Amino acid sequence: MPVNLLATPAAELYPVPGVRWGITQAGIRKAQRKDLAVLLLDEGASVGAVFTQNRFCAAPVQICREHLAKNLDQKNPGSPGIRAMLINTGNANAGTGDEGLRRALACCVALAGELHLAPEQVLPFSTGVIMEPLPHERIVAGLAAALANARADNWANAAEAIMTTDTVAKAFSSRITLAGRAVTITGIAKGAGMIRPNMATMLGFMATDACVSPPLMAQLARELAEGSFNRITVDGDTSTNDSFVVVATHQAQHAPVTSLDSPDGQALRAAMLAIAQKLAQAIVRDGEGATKFITVQVEGGKTGEECRMVAYAIAHSPLVKTAFFASDPNLGRILAAVGYSGIADLDQTKIDLYLDDVLVAKNGGRHVDYVEADGQRVMKQSEITVRVVLGRGQAADTVWTCDLSYEYVKINADYRS
């Protein structure tokens, strides 16, 4: 069961003017469920995206990068730009060589033909089992039904359609006022395992009707990912298919945001980051087999990078994660992870460790007032904060993770069955 996470009701997900989703069941997955989604954009929308840093990236990731590079919308606001996205679950189309590229492109060509677009105006996305041939004939055959289903209020169904081992659909919305105009932001994401995004999540899509200068979109996508999806881990594995896409449809009719450092740019970025962080944290809360949601805060570092090194060392440690699952305050495991995090000149005599409000270790040793009953009280909670103070500087950073349970092993042992 997910940790304190419920699906957002469809009525609370705001349509974004200029965006429509079409959903269908194309028979790609073994289970009978929605597995194909088409995202349609009105002309004039701007797109930014970030993708996996896994060098063994999937065919759709390669094609997305090529199509975005060719897409003149990134350089010329007068060009047609990206107009559609095609997402399938049940098959990752990764580790499939040239044939995988051919099949992914064939899907783009087919959708482009239905919409009277150029193939490079379509971005493909896939998620599921790696190294299996993409059943592109089923995808092409399902396009008509998906397009017939396209509507603006389909975000909740889209969030369900992109799920794999997720148990809860992940979608959030907000509205803000920007330059005197109401602006809508809605996003969806999927992911529960194979999560250490190293840029974004397995799949995430966020749209706003704000007017954002097209050259800013790539920067906006990077900054949103860096502050959210790049701060989560379930198991430390970076997927072959990670993709995070940000869309601005320019329909809110306010003066364009030309700098993310302007007052309007800062307000928009903050509102979109809040949604991105909710989506990222939802992935951790729905981590495969998770029973605990854990915030790892590292303070007092020389740089943010070394704070992240320490945070991820803790968050990735199987010994730490299994101790949390068992509610076992074997907290020396956390100090051990801090020690092997990679900081060469770390001074253990300056390190403090807190578990929520409980001071566990002071100056590198067990605090004189710490008793195990206090640690166990916190460890039994469904939400826990681990706070490490390094005593080296003023930098700080935060990572979100979950525990590691028997169910995680069972899910991944049976993943293909």
Side-chain angles (χ1 to χ4, degrees):
M1 295 292 292
V3 182
N4 301 327
L5 176 67
L6 297 173
T8 303
E12 296 179 15
L13 298 174
Y14 308 128
V16 177
V19 176
R20 291 178 295 147
W21 282 98
I23 314 300
T24 195
Q25 181 178 304
I28 305 164
R29 296 178 59 97
K30 294 179 182 178
Q32 297 299 305
R33 55 181 283 185
K34 302 163 188 169
D35 55 12
L36 186 65
V38 173
L39 172 61
L40 303 177
L41 301 177
D42 286 356
E43 188 172 355
S46 301
V47 176
V50 287
F51 302 96
T52 183
Q53 293 182 19
N54 190 320
R55 300 298 296 173
F56 208 99
C57 60
V61 170
Q62 297 176 56
I63 291 175
C64 277
R65 286 171 169 157
E66 291 175 4
H67 286 188
L68 283 169
K70 293 177 181 178
N71 174 24
L72 296 179
D73 181 60
Q74 307 301 305
K75 298 179 180 178
N76 178 7
S79 69
I82 297 298
R83 295 291 305 281
M85 303 179 202
L86 180 62
I87 306 102
N88 74 269
T89 61
N91 185 296
N93 196 12
T96 49
D98 290 340
E99 181 63 14
L101 290 168
R102 187 188 70 78
R103 294 187 181 200
L105 186 57
C107 294
C108 294
V109 170
L111 180 56
E114 293 282 347
L115 299 173
H116 306 291
L117 302 172
E120 57 266 27
Q121 291 179 274
V122 178
L123 300 181
F125 304 87
S126 298
T127 182
V129 179
I130 295 172
M131 224 168 72
E132 295 289 340
L134 181 72
H136 64 297
E137 300 92 344
R138 297 178 190 176
I139 294 174
V140 172
L143 290 178
L147 291 172
N149 179 253
R151 59 182 202 266
D153 63 348
N154 234 355
W155 283 90
N157 287 323
E160 291 182 7
I162 66 174
M163 292 166 57
T164 49
T165 58
D166 309 61
T167 67
V168 175
K170 301 164 180 66
F172 298 97
S173 273
S174 69
R175 282 183 172 144
I176 63 172
T177 299
L178 205 64
R181 300 281 184 172
V183 168
T184 299
I185 303 163
T186 300
I188 64 174
K190 63 82 51 182
M194 206 175 190
I195 298 294
R196 195 271 166 104
N198 220 7
M199 60 99 248
T201 183
M202 291 182 72
L203 290 180
F205 304 90
M206 184 181 296
T208 177
D209 57 346
C211 304
V212 182
S213 178
L216 290 183
M217 293 304 296
Q219 177 188 351
L220 181 60
R222 286 193 304 270
E223 292 189 9
L224 293 178
E226 189 64 18
S228 58
F229 300 114
N230 272 358
R231 296 296 184 272
I232 64 172
T233 182
V234 169
D235 46 27
D237 273 311
T238 296
S239 168
T240 54
N241 292 60
D242 289 348
S243 304
F244 174 55
V245 182
V246 181
V247 175
T249 65
H250 301 265
Q251 296 200 16
Q253 298 182 343
H254 59 80
V257 174
T258 57
S259 170
L260 296 180
D261 294 325
S262 68
D264 285 347
Q266 290 179 10
L268 179 64
R269 177 173 52 195
M272 296 186 76
L273 181 60
I275 296 295
Q277 288 182 342
K278 285 184 178 182
L279 291 169
Q281 291 179 20
I283 289 170
V284 172
R285 292 180 183 278
D286 196 25
E288 291 171 343
T291 69
K292 309 277 178 72
F293 176 79
I294 303 162
T295 300
V296 183
Q297 296 178 194
V298 180
E299 307 168 9
K302 288 183 179 179
T303 65
E305 181 180 1
E306 71 175 27
C307 291
R308 289 189 294 277
M309 290 168 58
V310 171
Y312 272 118
I314 296 167
H316 287 157
S317 168
L319 290 177
V320 171
K321 292 164 81 71
T322 51
F324 276 109
F325 172 63
S327 299
D328 176 18
N330 191 353
L331 303 177
R333 294 178 175 183
I334 297 176
L335 292 178
V338 174
Y340 65 62
S341 62
I343 301 177
D345 60 343
L346 186 66
D347 184 350
Q348 63 176 292
T349 66
K350 294 182 179 180
I351 295 173
D352 297 342
L353 170 63
Y354 293 82
L355 201 62
D356 273 9
D357 59 342
V358 177
L359 178 56
V360 176
K362 180 70 175 175
N363 297 328
R366 181 176 179 135
H367 182 50
V368 293
D369 293 331
Y370 172 69
V371 293
E372 190 161 295
D374 290 335
Q376 192 162 54
R377 168 180 57 81
V378 177
M379 293 286 274
K380 288 181 177 179
Q381 298 171 179
S382 60
E383 301 201 22
I384 301 165
T385 297
V386 175
R387 180 173 162 238
V388 179
V389 182
L390 298 177
R392 294 166 54 81
Q394 301 301 314
D397 215 325
T398 300
V399 165
W400 299 287
T401 190
C402 58
D403 57 342
L404 188 61
S405 70
Y406 307 130
E407 189 67 17
Y408 176 87
V409 177
K410 180 180 178 182
I411 290 169
N412 284 282
D414 293 341
Y415 181 68
R416 297 202 305 160
S417 61

